[in-house]
Amino acid sequence: MDIKIKNVNKEEWDRFEVFCKKSNRSRSEMLKEFIRDAGKFEAVLETELRMKAIIDDVIAHLDLNTQAYLLNVKKGILPMIDTEEENSHEVFNQP
C-alpha cells in the first residue's frame, strides 16, 4: 500500500530526515517501523505504570519497616545499627 502525507510542517520534516540519516534508515523504512510499532505503545505504557505501582509499594513497605525498626530501637527492643555506605552520607543514629 502506498501512503501520501500532506501538509507536513517543513521543520518537523527536516528533523525527521535528520533522524533517519542518523539512524542509517530511509524515510520509508522509518515510517514503516513507526506504523508497525504504533500498537506497542499502549502495552509499554501499561507495563511502565504497573512497574511504577510496584516500586511505590516497595518504597512504602520499606518506609513502614524503617519506622517499625526505629520504634523498636526507641523501646530498647532492638539495638541501633550504625551503617555507612560508600556513596551515602546518611548514618542512622539512635534518637
Side-chain angles (χ1 to χ4, degrees):
M1 173 192 310
D2 292 338
I3 298 174
K4 182 176 182 178
I5 302 174
K6 296 180 181 181
N7 302 320
V8 176
N9 178 288
K10 170 90 169 92
E11 290 175 15
E12 292 170 350
W13 183 255
D14 290 344
R15 281 195 304 269
F16 177 67
E17 285 188 318
V18 168
F19 176 74
C20 292
K21 287 178 185 176
K22 285 181 179 179
S23 301
N24 243 0
R25 311 277 297 278
S26 71
R27 295 182 304 251
S28 179
E29 288 175 320
M30 197 59 70
L31 287 170
K32 287 178 189 177
E33 183 178 329
F34 289 164
I35 291 169
R36 185 173 50 251
D37 292 345
K40 296 177 184 176
F41 176 75
E42 188 173 343
V44 169
L45 182 60
E46 287 176 15
T47 301
E48 287 180 357
L49 291 173
R50 281 196 315 269
M51 293 304 296
K52 183 186 180 318
I54 290 169
I55 290 169
D56 289 345
D57 193 41
V58 168
I59 290 171
H61 280 85
L62 287 172
D63 185 51
L64 287 173
N65 287 345
T66 301
Q67 290 176 31
Y69 166 74
L70 292 175
L71 181 61
N72 284 321
V73 167
K74 188 174 183 178
K75 290 181 176 183
I77 297 170
L78 293 173
M80 175 57 77
I81 299 172
D82 289 332
T83 62
E84 229 178 290
E85 297 178 17
E86 288 181 31
N87 297 326
S88 174
H89 299 291
E90 189 173 334
V91 177
F92 289 104
N93 293 313
Q94 191 166 358

